[in-house]
Amino acid sequence: MNEFLRYISLLLLAGLLSANQCTRNANISAIEGSLPTRRSDFSADTALIRQYYAFGNSYIYLDADRSMLYAKHVLRLSQKHDWDEGRILAYNLLSTYYLLDGDYDVLRELSNETMALSKELKMPLYTAYAKRFLAESYSEYRQWDSARINYNQAIQIFESLGADSAKAMTIENLGNSYRDKFMYNEAIREYKRAYQIFDSLDSDWGRASIMQSKGYMKVRQQELATAVKYFQESLRLSRKIHNRYGELNTLNDLSNTYYHQNELDKAIETGLQALEYSKSYHSSQQTNWALLTLSRAYKAKNMPAMALKFNEQVNHNRRMVHDETIKRQYTMYQLMYENAAMGSEIQQSTINEQRTIQRILLGITIAIVALAAFLWLNNKKLRRKNAEIEAALIQGQTIERKRVAAELHDHLGGTLASLNWYMYGIDKKMLSTEEQKIYDSVHQMVGSAYREVRSLSHNLMPAELEEHGLIKALDRLVAKLNENKNIDFQFTLSGLNNRLNSRVEFELYSIVLELTNNIIKHAGATQATINLTENLKTISLEVKDNGSGIIEPGRQGTGLRNVKSRVESIHGKIRINTNEEQGTSVEIEIPKTFNR
C-alpha cells in the first residue's frame, strides 16, 4: 500500500512538473501560489483538506488542471498527517478525473486502494464509489461479468445509503456496459431506470448525461439523425448548468456524428468549438478527439492543407503526450529514489526509537523482576519467622498448659486430697444428726471437687495427646465422657493413618473439648457423635447432638467464640446448623496445606 501511495503522489507531482513545461492557464500558478504549503495544526489541516476536496469537486467538470491541483493538496496534507480518511477523499477525486480522462489502469489501482481503506475505516459510501470506478475499468477491458457484479454491488450500497444521484449514475454506467456488449434492450431498460431517478431529483446534469449516452448508442445503431437529437438535447442541458466537460464531450460526439452524416461544415464548426473547450478544460483525450474529427472532415471536403494542419497537430499532441509520459516517468523514478532514501531514514529513525523504547521496557522489566524477587525473598523470610513464632507459641502454650495442669494436680489437687483425709479423721458418731448430714454433704463436695480438678488437669494437657496423638486422646476423652450415663458419646474415624501437625492436633482436641462441654452443659441431649474424616484436600470434624439446639443462634457464648477463633487460627471453615427438633451440628474443615 505504501508503494502505491508513493506512486500516486509522485505521479501527481510529476504531472504537475511536466505540465508546467506546456502552455497552461496562468490562473493555475496563481492558485498554487495562494495555497499554504505548511500547517502544523492537524485540525486546521483536516478542515483545509475538506475545503480543497470541495473545490476539486466543483472544478472537476470545469477545469481538469484546477481539480487535479486541489487533489494534489488533499493528498499531500493527508499524507503529512497519515490521515486515511483524507486519502480516501483524494482518491475519490482522482478516480473521477482519471475516469473522465480515460486512464483506466491508474483508475483500477486507485479503486482497489480506496476499497481497502474505506472498508477498514467503515466508510461504505466510498466503497460503493470504488466499486463503480472498478466496474468502469472492467468494462473498458471487456471484462463484462466482473463489471456487472461491481456495478450491482455499488448500486445496492448507494440505495441502502439513500445516495440516489450516485445510484442513478451507476445504473447509467451499467446501461453503457450493456450498450458496449450490443445488448441494446438491457441498455435502454437501465437508461430509463436512471432517467426516472434523475427526473425525480430534477437533475439537469443527470438528464444531460443520459441523453448523451443514448445518443452514442444510436450512433452505434447507425440511427444518426436520432443520435443528433439526443446530443443536441444533452448539449442544451449542459450549457444550462454550465457543465463545461459535458459540453465538450457532447460537442465531440456531435461533431463525429455530423461527419458520419457527411454534414462536413457542421462537423467542422462543432469540432472547432470542441477544440476550444478542450483547451480551456485541459483534457488531452478530448483535444485529440476534436483534432481527429477536424482532420477527417477537412480531408473529406478535399481541403488537404487544413487536413494536414490538424493531422500534424494530432501527431504533435501525441508526441507531447508521449514526451510528457517519459518526463513523468523520469521525474517519478527520481522522486521515488529520493522518497526511498527519505523512507529509509524515517525507517531507521523509527527503528532507533523502537530500540530506545525496548531498552526502557527491558529496564522496567528487570526492575519489576528484581522487586518481585526481593518481595518474594522477604515474604519467604516473613513466612519462616511466622512459622517460628507459631511454633514458639504452640510450645509456649504447651508448656503453660503443662504448668497449669501440674499446679492444679499438685497444689489444688493435693490440698483437696488432704482436706478429704482430714474429714475422714472426724468421728461422725460424735455429731448430731443434722451435723452428720452437713458432714456428708461437705465430704461429697470435696470429693467431687477433687475429681473435677483431676479431670481438668488431665484435659488441659492429656498425656495421650502429646505422646500418642489426637486419635488416642479423643478415644480417652470419649471414654471419660461416657462415664456419665446421661449422654451417649460416639467417636468415628475415617482415614488419618498418620499423625497431624502438633498445632492442628492441639487445636482440634481443644475444639472437641469445648463443644462436648457445651453439649453436656446446655444441649439437653441423650446422644452425641464426633466424626473425624480425612478427605483429599481437607480434614473434616463434625460434632453433633440430638438436643434442643441453640435457642438464640445470633447470640453465641464464649465457648463458641473460642471455637471459631481456633478454627480461624488454622485457616479452617466452620458451619453451625441448629434446630429445635434435630439438635445442633458443628462442621469444621481444615485445609491439609496447613498441616504441612
Side-chain angles (χ1 to χ4, degrees):
M1 182 180 290
N2 291 333
E3 291 297 326
F4 178 72
L5 295 180
R6 282 199 202 97
Y7 171 75
I8 293 299
S9 303
L10 297 173
L11 190 60
L12 280 170
L13 294 174
L16 289 169
L17 288 173
S18 61
N20 287 335
Q21 298 176 15
C22 301
T23 304
R24 292 297 191 190
N25 194 323
N27 289 333
I28 299 299
S29 299
I31 293 173
E32 186 171 8
S34 66
L35 294 174
T37 56
R38 291 183 179 274
R39 281 189 181 237
S40 58
D41 184 47
F42 174 71
S43 61
D45 280 351
T46 53
L48 202 56
I49 285 170
R50 297 187 187 280
Q51 185 180 358
Y52 288 161
Y53 177 70
F55 287 159
N57 263 333
S58 67
Y59 278 106
I60 193 67
Y61 294 107
L62 296 176
D63 189 328
D65 273 1
R66 290 194 183 190
S67 183
M68 284 291 283
L69 177 63
Y70 286 119
K72 167 204 166 186
H73 285 286
V74 170
L75 186 59
R76 177 179 61 82
L77 288 174
S78 299
Q79 288 180 324
K80 171 185 172 183
H81 295 288
D82 194 25
W83 191 40
D84 285 338
E85 186 176 336
R87 288 193 182 105
I88 288 179
L89 297 177
Y91 294 165
N92 192 61
L93 194 55
L94 289 168
S95 295
T96 305
Y97 169 80
Y98 285 121
L99 174 61
L100 299 178
D101 201 46
D103 197 339
Y104 292 96
D105 290 328
V106 177
L107 180 64
R108 179 174 296 191
E109 294 297 330
L110 273 172
S111 302
N112 286 325
E113 203 63 27
T114 303
M115 199 177 306
L117 277 178
S118 61
K119 286 182 177 179
E120 181 181 344
L121 297 177
K122 294 181 175 57
M123 300 174 68
L125 178 65
Y126 293 98
T127 301
Y129 277 125
K131 286 183 175 293
R132 176 200 162 217
F133 291 134
L134 193 60
E136 289 285 271
S137 177
Y138 283 130
S139 288
E140 177 66 17
Y141 293 109
R142 303 297 187 264
Q143 296 174 301
W144 308 115
D145 290 338
S146 297
R148 179 176 50 80
I149 290 171
N150 279 278
Y151 279 135
N152 285 325
Q153 289 177 348
I155 291 168
Q156 289 176 2
I157 297 173
F158 284 137
E159 185 172 9
S160 67
L161 298 174
D164 292 336
S165 181
K167 173 187 170 184
M169 187 190 308
T170 310
I171 293 172
E172 179 191 352
N173 296 150
L174 178 59
N176 292 340
S177 179
Y178 283 127
R179 178 196 65 198
D180 293 341
K181 287 180 67 177
F182 306 105
M183 300 172 65
Y184 298 124
N185 291 333
E186 289 79 359
I188 291 171
R189 179 192 66 204
E190 301 303 332
Y191 290 151
K192 182 178 180 181
R193 199 158 61 114
Y195 192 88
Q196 287 174 345
I197 297 174
F198 283 131
D199 211 29
S200 67
L201 298 173
D202 195 24
S203 171
D204 285 331
W205 184 94
R207 295 186 188 107
S209 183
I210 296 291
M211 291 295 104
Q212 185 184 0
S213 295
K214 293 173 76 173
Y216 189 74
M217 181 182 69
K218 292 302 179 181
V219 170
R220 300 191 65 152
Q221 292 177 308
Q222 297 299 312
E223 299 178 24
L224 301 180
T226 306
V228 168
K229 291 180 181 179
Y230 281 128
F231 288 141
Q232 288 175 340
E233 176 62 13
S234 175
L235 186 61
R236 183 187 69 81
L237 291 170
S238 293
R239 283 175 173 164
K240 176 183 175 183
I241 59 175
H242 307 292
N243 179 359
R244 186 177 296 168
Y245 177 81
E247 291 181 71
L248 168 60
N249 202 17
T250 307
L251 284 171
N252 267 322
D253 283 344
L254 189 56
S255 176
N256 184 59
T257 307
Y258 285 143
Y259 167 75
H260 286 293
Q261 284 184 315
N262 205 29
E263 296 186 38
L264 302 178
D265 291 334
K266 287 185 179 181
I268 292 171
E269 180 185 358
T270 309
L272 289 172
Q273 291 180 37
L275 183 61
E276 189 64 27
Y277 273 88
S278 70
K279 290 178 181 179
S280 61
Y281 182 74
H282 304 123
S283 170
S284 299
Q285 184 186 63
Q286 295 288 343
T287 300
N288 278 342
W289 286 349
L291 290 171
L292 281 170
T293 303
L294 287 168
S295 176
R296 289 189 296 174
Y298 278 116
K299 183 179 179 181
K301 284 193 69 173
N302 198 23
M303 297 173 66
M306 293 299 292
L308 180 61
K309 171 187 172 183
F310 286 107
N311 191 54
E312 286 176 349
Q313 289 185 35
V314 170
N315 293 330
H316 174 75
N317 197 54
R318 286 175 176 172
R319 284 197 304 270
M320 289 296 295
V321 171
H322 178 71
D323 290 344
E324 286 179 11
T325 302
I326 298 298
K327 290 175 183 177
R328 286 178 183 179
Q329 288 178 347
Y330 173 78
T331 307
M332 182 179 67
Y333 291 141
Q334 184 179 14
L335 292 175
M336 282 182 64
Y337 172 77
E338 293 174 358
N339 275 356
M342 186 183 299
S344 299
E345 183 179 346
I346 294 171
Q347 187 177 15
Q348 186 61 43
S349 174
T350 303
I351 291 172
N352 292 336
E353 289 177 2
Q354 289 177 347
R355 285 176 178 171
T356 302
I357 294 172
Q358 287 174 352
R359 291 191 188 100
I360 294 172
L361 291 176
L362 181 61
I364 293 172
T365 303
I366 292 172
I368 291 173
V369 171
L371 179 62
F374 171 76
L375 293 175
W376 181 80
L377 290 173
N378 193 48
N379 188 42
K380 188 176 180 181
K381 290 179 182 179
L382 289 174
R383 288 199 304 270
R384 187 166 58 248
K385 287 183 180 180
N386 286 338
E388 291 172 359
I389 292 170
E390 287 181 359
L393 181 63
I394 293 171
Q395 185 178 5
Q397 287 178 341
T398 303
I399 292 171
E400 183 64 16
R401 279 186 172 240
K402 286 182 178 179
R403 187 189 68 78
V404 173
E407 288 287 333
L408 288 172
H409 185 273
D410 296 340
H411 294 281
L412 183 58
T415 300
L416 290 172
S418 298
L419 180 61
N420 197 31
W421 280 109
Y422 278 122
M423 291 188 71
Y424 274 118
I426 297 175
D427 189 1
K428 289 174 57 177
K429 295 177 181 179
M430 300 295 296
L431 302 175
S432 65
T433 304
E434 188 66 30
E435 289 173 339
Q436 286 183 6
K437 289 181 181 180
I438 295 173
Y439 171 85
D440 290 337
S441 296
V442 171
H443 189 266
Q444 186 178 2
M445 289 172 63
V446 170
S448 177
Y450 176 70
R451 288 191 299 274
E452 196 69 34
V453 167
R454 281 177 56 84
S455 176
L456 181 60
S457 172
H458 178 269
N459 289 337
L460 277 172
M461 183 50 70
E464 294 86 354
L465 181 62
E466 188 174 6
E467 295 176 7
H468 303 292
L470 177 64
I471 310 305
K472 290 289 184 181
L474 289 178
D475 280 333
R476 179 68 182 273
L477 175 63
V478 170
K480 283 189 175 184
L481 291 172
N482 282 328
E483 290 178 1
N484 181 349
K485 302 299 182 180
N486 295 328
I487 303 175
D488 178 26
F489 284 92
Q490 298 292 327
F491 174 49
T492 61
L493 176 68
S494 177
L496 289 173
N497 297 320
N498 300 315
R499 286 196 62 174
L500 301 174
N501 178 293
S502 59
R503 166 79 183 279
V504 175
E505 287 190 340
F506 174 73
E507 296 295 351
L508 286 176
Y509 180 83
S510 300
I511 289 169
V512 171
L513 190 63
E514 190 71 56
L515 292 175
T516 53
N517 188 46
N518 280 350
I519 292 172
I520 291 170
K521 290 181 178 180
H522 308 296
T526 58
Q527 291 182 339
T529 58
I530 303 167
N531 301 320
L532 187 61
T533 305
E534 181 182 17
N535 301 311
L536 183 63
K537 295 183 179 180
T538 61
I539 296 167
S540 298
L541 171 67
E542 182 186 33
V543 179
K544 62 180 180 178
D545 63 73
N546 65 347
S548 58
I550 301 174
I551 298 175
E552 296 184 55
R555 296 181 59 187
Q556 297 174 357
T558 305
L560 278 178
R561 286 198 297 271
N562 289 340
V563 168
K564 285 186 176 181
S565 297
R566 291 183 183 279
V567 171
E568 290 173 0
S569 71
I570 50 178
H571 302 168
K573 296 179 182 178
I574 183 170
R575 184 169 63 252
I576 300 174
N577 301 313
T578 183
N579 187 289
E580 293 183 7
E581 297 179 358
Q582 298 179 355
T584 302
S585 171
V586 179
E587 299 174 1
I588 296 168
E589 279 193 346
I590 307 240
K592 276 188 174 182
T593 52
F594 191 84
N595 187 47
R596 294 174 183 172

